[in-house]
Amino acid sequence: MGETVPVIELRGVSATRGGFCILEDVSFALGEGETSVFMGGAGSGKSSLLKTAAGIVIPDSGAVLFRGKDVARMTRAEERAFHRSYGFVFQDAALWANQSLYDNLALPYRLHEPLAGEAEVERAVFRAAETVGFRESLSARPAELSTGESRLIGLARALVLDPELLFLDEPAAYLDEESADRVYSIIDQLKARRRTIAIVTGSSELAYRFADALGVLSGGRLLAFGPYAEASLWQDPALRGVAGRLKTRKKTAEGGAALLEAWAAALADSLDAPPEEPTAEGDDGAAGRGGRSDEEKA
Amino acid sequence: MLRRIGESVRRRAGEILYGLGFFYSLLKESVLFFRRRQVGYRVLVMQILFTGYEALRISAVLAMAIGVAINLIGASLLAEFGQGKLMYTLLIIVITRELGPLLTAFIVTARSGTAIATELGGMVVNHEIEAYVAVGVNPLSYLGAPRLIGVVVSMLVLSIYFNLFGLLGSFAIMQVLKPVALAEYLRNLVAVLTVRDLMSGLLKSLIFGLIIASVSIHRGFAVERASTEIPVAGIRAVGASFILIILADAAVTAAQYLG
């Protein structure tokens, strides 16, 4: 059986911008249906890594391969197919300010589905907006949105073509808890549908929740990239910070799960137990089951 | 010292080569504009509206004022030499050949050159250009080409418009100084007007339009990441356009008179 070709592969990629090195000899591969999370501090080159993998930033040396094909040597048709295959969520949404939200979502669809009628475009646009939970008018301009809403529209734009590959740059940043939960559930759904996902983030939460593979960046160099399960065992001093945060996250989550389990067991026990007789002091059943009295609630 | 000079020369040469390559790519995308699938017709229409239509008023006022001034100067100066009949030749040479395209180019640079450079610069800073690239849109084709075509078309139209209003201003002041019938005025103008004069004005307008658009688009896309670079891009677009326009004007005029 032959080896499967990675969806995206970077081979010895280095890139500079404004005279500064933003990526240095970076190599990794994203497997089909895998979620890879790249962590690192501010200025570590996370966004540049994602943009280079998506063909937005042209590397000075090295190669970016999409399903084994060098992105720099693609024909126009191959290049179009490459851009059709992925959705990119920018850290600051990067919505087109001079177009309505509807047109922001419709442009990729119109571009890659030129035979689609306006009704089909409209269906795709509203489906994408609904997926991210955006229920406001799409005739507004991006300037009228809050940062969180812009992020959601940015995500909707990336999803409008239902791509096989997603690049997410800090997908939950600037979002309120409800919106962040929605984003997490969208990523869950995408994972369940075996989409290949690359996420860059400074938060261990996303890595803990979604990562099949984890990479750590610092100063434009990819210090480590490997299966998530092995990440907490990393011994390299430069990686201890990330490994420590992941261990803490795991412990917290396990502690939370144990607490939840104990609480559920206690609740089940109390429901199974026969109701207690009211006492002479007039205690009610709720107080007897551990609930708080009306006075306490007040 | 020598090394620094060498590096500076090399960098400058690299910038010029890059600029020429950029101009070639932009021109190619503009030629192929109507054949592309990802056509920014809306951008083109908006550019013509902003650069051409919205500049009509200022262009008309300026042209009429210039027409009046040339007539006043010409009437007093030429009369001293007994060459009053050269007034019409002077009008055609100054308005149609020289000042029409040149002043129109200055108006377009000041209004649209800065607008193009700062708008594109803003789009770069807000990562909108990267978002276009991500969905598979070529920014040169989608944002650059319609702006170039829009500016060139507007330059040609505004230049003709400038000529009409310049000659109208001259006619208006004549009615005060030395009244002449409109038919006679037009007949005298047509008598001295040659196809070469017309072609010269239009050729200059075309070249100036190409310069303004490509310099402004180049400066806009050259913004890297900071919002403070945006006004600098606008200023540089105006400065570089003015210099290149004057050099091109001198070159075309020299070619006409010496060639």
Side-chain angles (χ1 to χ4, degrees):
Chain A
M1 204 171 78
E3 257 184 50
T4 51
V5 180
V7 179
I8 287 283
E9 186 178 0
L10 266 68
R11 284 188 193 159
V13 165
S14 296
T16 51
R17 194 170 178 180
F20 294 100
C21 175
I22 52 172
L23 290 177
E24 193 184 334
D25 196 23
V26 171
S27 299
F28 69 86
L30 303 182
E32 182 91 53
E34 276 182 6
T35 299
S36 306
V37 176
F38 296 89
M39 291 180 67
S44 58
K46 303 189 297 287
S47 299
S48 304
L49 176 87
L50 219 53
K51 286 172 186 172
T52 308
I56 298 170
V57 169
I58 312 292
D60 297 332
S61 61
V64 178
L65 308 174
F66 173 63
R67 298 198 180 281
K69 185 96 192 170
D70 191 341
V71 170
R73 294 172 197 278
M74 283 179 169
T75 61
R76 265 187 192 269
E78 286 170 338
E79 208 176 307
R80 210 160 28 238
F82 171 51
H83 288 288
R84 165 70 178 80
S85 73
Y86 75 79
F88 197 108
V89 177
F90 288 83
Q91 190 174 0
D92 55 1
L95 300 179
W96 300 305
N98 59 356
Q99 296 185 32
S100 68
L101 302 182
Y102 181 91
D103 286 333
N104 264 275
L105 301 188
L107 192 140
Y109 202 89
R110 287 186 183 129
L111 184 72
H112 292 290
E113 301 292 341
L115 301 178
E118 199 47 42
E120 194 183 326
V121 174
E122 195 177 308
R123 267 199 305 277
V125 166
F126 283 108
R127 192 172 52 232
E130 202 182 308
T131 304
V132 300
F134 187 83
R135 291 186 183 81
E136 307 298 320
S137 165
L138 290 176
S139 60
R141 294 280 171 144
E144 296 168 46
L145 301 183
S146 69
T147 310
E149 286 173 323
S150 299
R151 299 296 317 272
L152 291 178
I153 291 293
L155 178 59
R157 183 174 65 187
L159 296 174
V160 76
L161 281 160
D162 192 19
E164 58 175 293
L165 168 63
L166 273 136
F167 295 107
L168 310 177
D169 193 349
E170 298 280 8
Y174 315 118
L175 294 179
D176 57 73
E177 278 187 17
E178 193 187 334
S179 302
D181 282 343
R182 182 173 281 275
V183 170
Y184 295 152
S185 106
I186 291 168
I187 298 174
D188 269 331
Q189 287 166 29
L190 292 167
K191 264 177 82 77
R193 290 168 60 209
R194 298 275 301 149
R195 295 293 186 257
T196 306
I197 306 170
I199 303 173
V200 299
T201 178
S203 137
S204 54
E205 162 106 27
L206 280 162
Y208 176 74
R209 276 178 179 245
F210 303 112
D212 299 317
L214 183 72
V216 179
L217 279 150
S218 176
R221 288 188 309 121
L222 188 60
L223 300 181
F225 183 75
Y228 175 79
E230 294 169 13
S232 55
L233 307 174
W234 285 339
Q235 293 300 317
D236 188 325
L239 302 171
R240 270 188 203 145
V242 171
R245 279 203 299 282
L246 292 174
K247 272 182 200 160
T248 312
R249 176 76 61 184
K250 194 176 170 194
K251 274 183 196 161
T252 312
E254 281 170 356
L259 205 65
L260 202 66
E261 213 171 287
W263 179 80
L267 187 69
D269 286 348
S270 66
L271 288 173
D272 290 343
E276 285 178 17
E277 291 298 318
T279 61
E281 286 82 18
D283 283 346
D284 63 17
R289 286 196 298 271
R292 292 193 296 171
S293 67
D294 285 345
E295 287 82 357
E296 282 174 319
K297 283 176 193 168
Chain B
M1 174 76 175
L2 267 176
R3 181 189 234 184
R4 257 212 320 267
I5 294 171
E7 273 173 10
S8 170
V9 168
R10 205 181 64 174
R11 199 175 54 239
R12 199 82 193 134
E15 280 172 11
I16 291 170
L17 281 176
Y18 178 80
L20 288 173
F22 181 88
F23 179 66
Y24 168 74
S25 303
L26 183 60
L27 210 57
K28 195 179 85 182
E29 290 301 328
S30 302
V31 170
L32 297 172
F33 180 71
F34 296 100
R35 286 172 55 192
R36 289 257 190 268
R37 207 174 55 184
Q38 52 183 43
V39 163
Y41 286 118
R42 194 169 150 269
V43 183
L44 174 62
V45 172
M46 295 304 288
Q47 193 62 55
I48 291 175
L49 271 179
F50 177 71
T51 307
Y53 179 73
E54 288 183 17
L56 284 178
R57 201 167 50 181
I58 184 173
S59 184
V61 171
L62 190 64
M64 285 192 80
I66 292 289
V68 168
I70 291 169
N71 205 304
L72 285 172
I73 296 165
S76 62
L77 202 67
L78 293 174
E80 279 183 33
F81 299 101
Q83 298 292 332
K85 61 184 176 190
L86 284 180
M87 172 59 79
Y88 293 97
T89 310
L90 183 72
L91 281 173
I92 292 296
I93 287 175
V94 175
I95 292 180
T96 306
R97 273 196 184 190
E98 290 302 323
L99 283 187
L102 202 60
L103 289 179
T104 304
F106 286 168
I107 293 171
V108 171
T109 305
R111 290 185 80 254
S112 306
T114 45
I116 289 171
T118 52
E119 187 191 9
L120 292 178
M123 291 175 86
V124 173
V125 170
N126 295 328
H127 302 118
E128 290 179 46
I129 304 292
E130 288 181 342
Y132 277 120
V133 175
V135 299
V137 170
N138 177 354
L140 264 192
S141 161
Y142 189 75
L143 300 170
R147 281 173 171 79
L148 184 129
I149 296 169
V151 168
V152 168
V153 168
S154 300
M155 264 300 299
L156 291 170
V157 173
L158 279 175
S159 204
I160 294 169
Y161 193 78
F162 191 99
N163 285 339
L164 294 177
F165 273 83
L167 298 174
L168 188 68
S170 168
F171 174 72
I173 197 67
M174 265 189 181
Q175 301 313 301
V176 178
L177 301 174
K178 192 177 163 191
V180 59
L182 180 64
E184 192 190 339
Y185 176 73
L186 291 176
R187 204 168 38 246
N188 288 337
L189 279 178
V190 171
V192 293
L193 181 70
T194 62
V195 175
R196 203 175 164 187
D197 294 324
L198 279 176
M199 293 313 289
S200 165
L202 290 177
L203 177 69
K204 281 184 181 177
S205 300
L206 175 77
I207 293 171
F208 297 166
L210 288 172
I211 289 172
I212 297 164
S214 43
V215 167
S216 307
I217 293 165
H218 176 252
R219 287 295 174 191
F221 280 139
V223 168
E224 289 203 351
R225 54 181 78 186
S227 55
T228 48
E229 293 176 49
I230 299 170
V232 177
I235 293 165
R236 286 191 176 159
V238 171
S241 294
F242 278 0
I243 291 170
L244 289 174
I245 284 166
I246 290 165
L247 290 177
D249 186 53
V252 174
T253 306
Q256 279 170 352
Y257 283 93
L258 302 176

